[in-house]
Amino acid sequence: MKIGIDAMGGDFAPEAIVEGAVLATPNLPNNVQLVLIGKQDIINELLTKYGYQGSQIEVVHAEDVVEMGEHPTKALSQKPHSSISVGFKLLKEKNIDIFCGAGNTGAMHVGALFSIKAIEGIIRPAIVGLVPQKKGGYAAMLDIGANADCKPEVLEQFGVIGSIYAQYTFGIDKPRVALMNIGEEEQKGSLVAQAAHQLLKENTRINFVGNMEGGDFFDDKADVIVTDGFTGNALFKLAESFYTVASERGIKDDYIDKMNYEAVGGSSIVGVNGNVMIAHGISSPTAIKNMISWACKQVEAQIHVHIAKALS
């Protein structure tokens, strides 16, 4: 298994990325290789700085960097030798099994669509966020930012691919799918939400359990939470802020600790022909370490293969 990582992407790159990779290696299975993509001399210097002497990290040179504020499509077309472009080339050619990056989120999303492309039948790929539940485990929420506006049929498809994601990631036979809304009744919500509810209700591929309110977010009411990227992103970042507030007030709680962005470290793009993971721009070495651990699980789950089979 080869896990490709954009070593130059993120607010604290390349230091945080390289250190995170070094921190991850003691717990990696012997068959897992990390591939750090970026400016070779700088990465090698940092590997020496952090005392790495093993054989599970290799470096692939990439001359350019897509900066956080750059326009995604323009940057990728003008910088074919950037670490993101090289990473997606490696993924497309199957030289790595997953590509992870904490850099420009738009460029990661566009890069996935341009290189490995959307699975046939997918209307819009989505980003999945993991929401910790009070009884343990996580619920998968999609979308958390890739698609701010969604038509009802897109939300219905999120229910289908989210169900497949939960089935093979969490090992749940019939994942419970809920639609985020402002009330439990069918007629509640916007026109889009009402129409999406009917489509989800009639879809025999999924175990739809109805609408879900914000107050149920952590209450184990569903294994898959369906929403548009605007709402999902706002909810996801609100949940993450609970950890920040608790920390600032000196509150230590095992459950709230799971809301720390570092805990999982990365979010998968689902609906494309391969494994792609996006990390926070502010990712610390701990976040990168945990992202790598989660990336291993995503490669093993092979969600894109199961989605392609279901839609064929």
Side-chain angles (χ1 to χ4, degrees):
M1 185 190 298
K2 286 196 171 188
I3 298 174
I5 305 164
D6 175 10
M8 313 308 292
D11 294 348
F12 306 112
E15 289 83 358
I17 313 300
V18 177
E19 185 179 356
V22 171
L23 289 174
T25 52
N27 300 315
L28 286 178
N30 291 331
N31 68 323
V32 176
Q33 191 85 6
L34 303 184
V35 181
L36 296 180
I37 304 157
K39 296 185 178 181
Q40 194 165 31
D41 291 347
I42 295 173
I43 296 170
N44 285 332
E45 283 176 16
L46 289 169
L47 287 171
T48 302
K49 175 183 174 181
Y50 297 122
Y52 184 71
Q53 296 179 330
S55 59
Q56 283 186 280
I57 297 179
E58 63 179 273
V59 181
V60 172
H61 182 66
E63 188 60 40
D64 292 326
V65 179
V66 174
E67 303 296 342
M68 297 297 266
E70 289 191 74
H71 186 280
T73 308
K74 189 180 292 184
L76 289 173
S77 62
Q78 292 177 352
K79 294 182 174 179
H81 303 296
S82 69
S83 50
I84 290 180
S85 297
V86 172
F88 276 115
K89 184 174 185 289
L90 292 172
L91 184 65
K92 182 180 180 181
E93 293 172 353
K94 302 190 187 302
N95 289 315
I96 55 176
D97 298 293
I98 186 169
F99 181 46
C100 311
N104 187 310
T105 299
M108 288 291 290
H109 198 256
V110 170
L113 291 175
F114 280 4
S115 59
I116 55 175
K117 305 189 186 310
I119 294 168
E120 188 174 353
I122 289 290
I123 308 169
R124 295 271 191 91
I127 303 174
V128 178
L130 300 185
V131 182
Q133 301 297 293
K134 287 191 286 191
K135 292 182 181 177
Y138 291 90
M141 179 166 68
L142 63 168
D143 183 23
I144 64 162
N147 307 281
D149 296 294
C150 294
K151 293 181 179 179
E153 56 267 29
V154 173
L155 293 173
E156 178 197 12
Q157 191 172 75
F158 286 172
V160 174
I161 64 178
S163 183
I164 294 169
Y165 179 93
Q167 182 181 352
Y168 291 99
T169 300
F170 305 145
I172 302 170
D173 246 0
K174 292 183 178 179
R176 298 161 299 163
V177 179
L179 176 67
M180 182 55 70
N181 209 328
I182 59 171
E184 292 185 355
E185 299 85 356
E186 286 190 31
Q187 66 273 21
K188 283 290 182 77
S190 64
L191 294 175
V192 170
Q194 291 176 40
H197 182 104
Q198 292 304 313
L199 292 174
L200 288 162
K201 181 181 175 183
E202 293 165 8
N203 194 315
T204 56
R205 292 184 177 188
I206 60 174
N207 176 23
F208 183 57
V209 295
N211 287 337
M212 173 179 165
E213 297 181 80
D216 303 321
F217 198 49
F218 306 113
D219 283 342
D220 199 40
K221 295 287 182 71
D223 304 300
V224 179
I225 303 168
V226 172
T227 188
D228 60 85
F230 185 95
T231 306
N233 189 277
L235 281 169
F236 199 66
K237 288 178 178 174
L238 174 65
E240 288 180 338
S241 75
F242 293 166
Y243 170 80
T244 305
V245 173
S247 297
E248 289 171 349
R249 292 174 174 255
I251 299 168
K252 179 69 177 173
D253 181 271
D254 288 345
Y255 173 66
I256 293 178
D257 285 350
K258 291 183 179 179
M259 296 180 196
N260 180 1
Y261 83 93
E262 293 178 325
V264 173
S267 300
S268 296
I269 299 179
V270 292
V272 292
N273 287 297
N275 298 305
V276 181
M277 186 166 287
I278 297 172
H280 253 294
I282 59 170
S283 287
S284 65
T286 299
I288 297 301
K289 172 192 169 187
N290 291 334
M291 176 195 72
I292 290 168
S293 175
W294 190 244
C296 291
K297 295 173 185 175
Q298 290 298 273
V299 172
E300 289 169 353
Q302 291 293 287
I303 305 300
H304 64 285
V305 175
H306 295 294
I307 291 175
K309 186 177 179 182
L311 297 184
S312 63

